[in-house]
Amino acid sequence: MDIQIPFDNSYARLPADFFARQAPAPVSAPALILVNRPLASELGIVLGTDAELAQVFGGNALPQGAEPIAQVYAGHQFGGFSPQLGDGRAVLLGEVVGRESQRRDLQLKGSGQTPFSRGGDGRAWLGPVLREYVVSEAMHAMGIPTTRALAAVTTGDMVYRQEGALPGAVLTRVAASHLRVGTFQYFAAHGNVDALRRLYDYARERHYPDVETPGAFLRAVIARQATLVARWLGIGFIHGVMNTDNTSISGETIDYGPCAFVDAYDAHAVYSAIDRNGRYAYDNQANVIVWNMAQLATALVPLMPDQDAAIADFTEAVHAMPDLIEAEWLRVFGAKIGIAAPREADRALVVDLLALMQTDGADFTNTFRALARGDAAHEFSDPAAFTAWEARWNARLDGESDWRAHMDAANPAVIPRNHRVEQMIAAAVTGDYAPLHRLLGVLAQPFELLAEAAEFARVPAPQEVVRQTFCGT
Ligand code: AMP
Ligand code: MG
């Protein structure tokens, strides 16, 4: 094989109860759709021919040094605890330490059944694979911490879902790690304190080498997640399934399922068909992440010699999180309106703009982008109210320097709009990958409004509006 992946598999060296050894299940006719060459090079991976890449990233050939495992975890799904989840349709091939000496996981998703499949087929269809590829790479280009996409392969096999028979696919995902809040919950729920300590040591060393206690570890994860969620809000992102098993310890966005972006601004927007109570609505994400961190805190308590003191200390850390998110939120939205160091008094300016946008259903992305050009009034059906707001804003901008350039660096011109993603998937299912390549091309520079990007900045026509998204597992 020509492909060379410099594996160094630390997770596979952990005790046997952390995972199940599991090779990917072979597929009929793997064909390469996408490979992320810049990312491969960043990871020190030498790629081979397309045919060979299809074999490796389709799961038919194991590259040298891979030690495939399915990781075990637990998790709260929509608030209900499942003590036993795990990689049901994924295997971790191993880890590489890339150019920036950062250790990263290489995982195949859609690679067949594992001991944790719980009756599922272990497969993925092309739609969710391409959605995760496109959205995760777009998030990265927007500077949001996220897992990445290294390759996408069609399998030549059909996958059977509610919608019918669909083309199967495998995504190769790159992550700082696949450690989840649910990984800690698994060992805590099973009363396995030795393993919990081992996991804590591993996670601390890998992600937070400077922290020295579980309390400091908790605070470090909380800080990263507070930043992450504030940044999601800043681009109108709705994760859709913020279960604790889909909340990373590293602070990266992970597990893109029925995710979506708000078009016409609605703080309560919910797209996921299975989120019937709006638990994971746009504006509830800041609450849910606190709840998820409380679950992490609970899982860490058994590590502490004095559990009562630990509960008091961890509770304080969790209770401090809403203020952290609020502060991050103000920083993020302040930048979006050109204020480099927003003060508490500036919060009302942002809140009032969002209220106008909500009333008028203004497009989230385009309104912020248009502000810097003095061209946002047409986004509002009541331009007078907006103009009054604009006068307040202009007064506040006095003394800010370079605010237009700062706004253009904070407000993407193009995002993976839901209807564009759906159209791209519909075309790909018929074998037409041209829309996929165009979308990826445009999203690689989300802060530029290049000529070819103009149509991707357009809001959906009424018949194009996506109202619901599906897990698509
Ligand atoms: P999610 O919230 O979509 O990340 O998935 C929740 C759990 O369901 C995880 O443990 C997955 O591994 C598992 N799962 C999802 N889809 C499948 C599938 N097609 N086959 C087996 N397990 C699956
Ligand atoms: Mg998941």
Side-chain angles (χ1 to χ4, degrees), residues 73 77 86 89 109 173 180 241 243 245-247 254-255:
Y73 49 84
Q77 302 180 301
R89 54 170 158 159
K109 190 171 174 184
R173 174 160 78 178
R180 305 150 190 275
V241 227
N243 293 334
D245 52 304
N246 296 334
T247 302
I254 194 169
D255 278 4

Side-chain angles (χ1 to χ4, degrees), residues 120-121 123-125 156-168 472-473:
D121 62 2
R123 292 299 183 184
W125 75 274
D157 300 314
M158 295 312 256
V159 169
Y160 300 90
R161 296 287 181 267
Q162 238 171 356
E163 303 91 315
L166 298 158
T473 52

Side-chain angles (χ1 to χ4, degrees), residues 22-30 54-62 68 88-91 93 108-114 117 121-123 155 157 169-170:
Q22 176 68 57
V27 301
S28 299
Q55 292 292 324
V56 167
F57 295 131
N60 283 17
L62 269 187
R89 54 170 158 159
V91 292
L93 286 182
L108 299 186
K109 190 171 174 184
S111 53
Q113 287 178 318
T114 77
S117 295
D121 62 2
R123 292 299 183 184
T155 61
D157 300 314
V170 179

Side-chain angles (χ1 to χ4, degrees), residues 144-345:
I144 314 275
T146 177
T147 61
R148 305 279 312 269
L150 182 62
V153 166
T154 49
T155 61
D157 300 314
M158 295 312 256
V159 169
Y160 300 90
R161 296 287 181 267
Q162 238 171 356
E163 303 91 315
L166 298 158
V170 179
L171 175 77
T172 304
R173 174 160 78 178
V174 173
S177 83
H178 284 83
L179 296 175
R180 305 150 190 275
V181 170
T183 319
F184 284 84
Q185 290 182 286
Y186 175 81
F187 292 112
H190 291 79
N192 190 345
V193 180
D194 286 344
L196 187 64
R197 191 171 311 281
R198 195 74 192 259
L199 176 66
Y200 162 71
D201 284 337
Y202 180 88
R204 193 187 59 75
E205 236 173 85
R206 187 159 173 181
H207 297 299
Y208 303 98
D210 299 335
V211 313
E212 283 172 2
T213 63
F217 176 81
L218 173 65
R219 285 175 170 84
V221 179
I222 284 175
R224 283 207 199 158
Q225 285 290 346
T227 309
L228 180 66
V229 170
R231 301 196 61 188
W232 287 354
L233 298 177
I235 52 160
F237 180 73
I238 304 167
H239 182 283
V241 227
M242 287 176 71
N243 293 334
T244 58
D245 52 304
N246 296 334
T247 302
S248 72
I249 293 298
S250 70
E252 286 183 340
T253 314
I254 194 169
D255 278 4
Y256 293 86
C259 62
F261 290 84
V262 273
D263 289 305
Y265 179 64
D266 173 12
H268 318 302
V270 177
Y271 287 88
S272 169
I274 55 169
D275 189 5
R276 293 204 185 82
N277 300 315
R279 181 181 175 89
Y280 302 137
Y282 173 81
D283 64 353
N284 207 35
Q285 298 182 110
N287 299 324
V288 164
I289 196 61
V290 177
W291 194 87
N292 288 358
M293 291 299 101
Q295 307 317 309
L296 176 62
T298 305
L300 293 172
V301 167
L303 294 176
M304 305 301 286
D306 180 344
Q307 305 215 337
D308 288 339
I311 290 168
D313 179 47
F314 292 2
T315 302
E316 186 189 290
V318 172
H319 284 175
M321 191 182 191
D323 283 349
L324 285 181
I325 299 173
E326 286 286 290
E328 278 300 314
W329 184 93
L330 183 58
R331 201 185 52 72
V332 166
F333 279 83
K336 288 178 77 66
I337 62 168
I339 302 172
R343 303 182 284 265
E344 207 38 54

